[in-house]
Amino acid sequence: MDGVAEQWLFQRGRGYHFALIIFCLSTLSCFVSAAVNPTDLSALNALSSAWGANTLKWTAGDPCTNKWQGVYCDVTNTKVVSLSLSSSSIVGTIPAAIGSFSGLQRLDLSFNSRLQGPIPPEIGKLTTLLELNIQSCALAGLIPPALGNLKSLTFLALNNNQLTGEIPYLIGGLQNLHWFDVASNNLTGRLPVSSMNSDGVGLDTMALCEHFHLNNNSFSGGIPSELGAPPNGSPPKLTKLKHLLFESNQLTGSIPDSLANLTSLEILSLSNNQLSGPIPASLTRLATAPGSKLQQLLLGHNQFTGTIPNLTPPVAGALGLLVVDFSYNSFDPQPFPSWPQLASNITTLYMEQTNLVGNFSEEILSHRTLQTLWARNNSLNGTLYIPASVGPNLQVVSLQSNQFGSVVRRPSSTNLSKVDFQLSDNPVCNPDDPFRPATPCGAISGIPPWTSPPGACGAPTCSNGFTFNTQNSGNCNCVDPFHVTLECRRPTFSRFTDELMERLRVSLRNELGLENQQVMVERAMFTSDGRADIDINFFGVDGASQPDKDTMLNITHSLKGDAQLPSLSGFKPYILRSVEASDLLLGHKNHLGPGAIAGIVLGVFAIVSAVGIYAILQKRRAQRMKHKAHPFAHWGIGDGEKDVAAPQMHGVQWFSFAEIKKATNHFSVENEIGEGGYGKVYAGVLASGERVAVKRAAKDSMQGAEEFKNEIELLSRVHHKNLVMLTGYCYDKGEQMLVYEFMANGTMREWLSGKKSYPLDWSKRLSIAIGSARGLAYLHEMANPPIVHRDIKSSNILLDDKHIAKVADFGLSKLAPDGADGHIETTEVKGTLGYLDPEYYMTQKLSEKSDVYSFGVVLLELLTSKAPISHGKFIVREMKVAYAEEGMDGLEPILDPSVHESSPQDLQRFVDLAFVCTEDRGADRPTMNEVVKALEALAQHNKAKAKVSALATDETWLQDVYGDDAGYSQDHTGGIKSSFQYSGGYTPHIPEPK
Ligand SMILES: *[C@@H]1O[C@H](CO)[C@@H](O)[C@H](O)[C@H]1NC(C)=O
Ligand SMILES: *[C@@H]1O[C@H](CO)[C@@H](O)[C@H](O)[C@H]1NC(C)=O
């Protein structure tokens, strides 16, 4: 079905409008109007009323000819063939009317994290559908068996929802499906196969399927032998299956012999189930057969017994495996296997807790391609010899908790500084032994994240999440590129190198037909479950921040998981996450060259439709995607020296103790700007001149190295304009410190309490509310994993030098132990008096809604300028009581006079919002996203006053809220724009991050 008719439809090449004009001139007529058929129109109207015409940006007129966003029609403009509503901030459920479209071929509702409720069975009526993508929403309920009617479907992605129940076996009737992804749901039951039902269909009959992504669910029962051996003895049907991902379920029983018939398999992942018995010899043959395609054999975290398979290939050096995981099984005691040395291209070997005993042969450490070796929790003993020549790619050798009695480095052993040997909890590292070697007994470090090496302009040091393009030597301006994250679920590598990342960059450039300087791989890291997340920036040509909309669409189309991009094979399977792409279209993968475009314009009707599509794209303003400068650290080795091989960081930097000591003037009292249960906060100036705030953990609130590292990784991934940015850390000389960007304009609390040079008018209060709400919404909705702040309060809302409000101290629960100033001390509950969610306090069950409560208290502070508890009065109760008695009049004595700069209606709305946020029951409170929306609506009403306000104070203010709007900052108000940039005449105050 990848026919021409479909291809032109999604093509948005630059050649279009040019060819179009010529065509229109030559025919002297260019009819444009046609009406979408009534059936499709009513379906669209049903969606519009369910999800909101404003959210969808579906305004009046005909959907096909009037450019409804994400709606694509056929050549006649009478039929809707594609709905691309990915990342569209849709809130609500999928209405049954979605099944009424008459000829829909693509339905993409992915990445709408507030799209809830069940998948309506009516989707099964869309029998013309080729692609159904509803991944990464919040859908619940069953997978409707009616999806089995979608006989043309080639791509089905339901992953990352909350779906329950079984996979309906009728899905097995989808004979054209090549991508089947239901990973990361709550699905249960047995894996359906044809022998289990009278229709004779199941997973084993999906003959064209290449991808079974069923991981991270709760499937039970055995792995059906039918997958490799159909019940009637006919040859296996799954001859195309490449990725079989069953990991993280509750599968039991042994591995059926017949899996070995799946000879196209590249990744077989059965890890983290309850599988048992010996690993069948047939699987060994599958992996070792000459020409075997198997690259990853992942069997860790099961209950396999017997011996670890001997994967010695029949032909020396011909083992194609790249990643092998046998960890955490119940194997018999046995020596470390020798076959890994014969696996010519192996990168990653997991042998943790596999009952290995005896000596460890040093040869594997010289392996040419091996990157990481994980063999902790075994009983390897004797002497660990480190060979004279260590493999060039070796990065981590994890041998903790074994029985090594000594370590010997062979003479003239190569420089080991790049290899992280971990031997703690071995006799050789006995802490009581003063002669224990320092290096292998030191702290655990793990795989360092990677960041782009600096280009000709050096490393980017842009503020506000902007970055500059390290690939573009002629332009060192800070810009705001199109930012995506490639989430590689099963990478074939376990370390990042400059070469690997450059290869990825060049591949993307070539495959997407971009110019060299348009692609920058910015950083990469492994998540705890072995996924590799790679952040990529795409720039426009000629120094423009972002590519044009056509190119962005092509990028997202082309990087859809099932796209045929051969050079990305080592990164598959992946999903593409466009970060904060609130209105990016994730469209179709096809991309045509100029020749095809020329062919297209020969069709009269094609042109008509092209007008519509081109106009849609023209109309939409490029959406800004601010999610940059994720700082990543090289994990320092903790002995005061930076690893010389570490790439230069522009995000989270590692600092030595000496550097921080210098920056903070020996942690002098003058530099102290705050104190909490975790320790003190210091202002500092780095050698580069950059001002920072340093949080120094007190001795008794230090975490383990791994925890600290996880904390930093978490913090470094959380990136938003309205969150205080972690710029570095120090893990050296027994110290743990976090280094944050300096917030020159202090806390919201200081502003409210009149410690600043002028009082806050209403526009500025609104701006603080919106900024901090956006930061918090980001933590709840976009951070992965989501983060509950737990300590939202006005002294945790800081203002930077442009008066942009930023939330501080997120994710620091471990650094902020109970019992410190203002912290409630119970077994679980953390927070500050006056802001504490009563429901959380009662139940000790934490959720995002607890933050919403605290934020509601912050809103009340903005209304009153009062502290949440002052003169023994609790602001929430005081206001609610006053309001209950006399309405707004009752509030009058408590409100700050500035609030009357707002209209009475808007003031009422703001009060309502603060009250609903502070409802007693979490379920009655809105989500932060809803709070943001409500505040943004108020800001819209307040726009005119905001202009006056910005001019009045001669300061940088309000740009966070209004600056994105071209109409505001350019058209009428050059004066304001320049005042945004002016911040003279004002003495910055010391920040108070806690
Ligand atoms: C190892 O990798 C090289 C280069 O990618 C490839 O040519 C070779 O066939 C691989 N070896 C095996 C045994 O798969
Ligand atoms: C190492 O372990 C093996 C097997 O458990 C044992 O036979 C041997 O004596 C041990 N060697 C040393 C030096 O402890």
Side-chain angles (χ1 to χ4, degrees), residues 81-99:
V81 293
S82 173
L83 274 183
S84 285
L85 302 176
S86 181
S87 304
S88 299
S89 307
I90 296 172
V91 180
T93 58
I94 306 178
I98 202 155

Side-chain angles (χ1 to χ4, degrees), residues 50-65:
W51 298 334
N54 287 339
T55 305
L56 296 170
K57 306 192 173 70
W58 289 358
T59 43
D62 182 77
C64 291
T65 49

Side-chain angles (χ1 to χ4, degrees), residues 333 357-359 379-383 403:
V357 299
N359 290 337
S379 302
L380 297 167
N381 67 4
T383 300
Q403 297 297 326

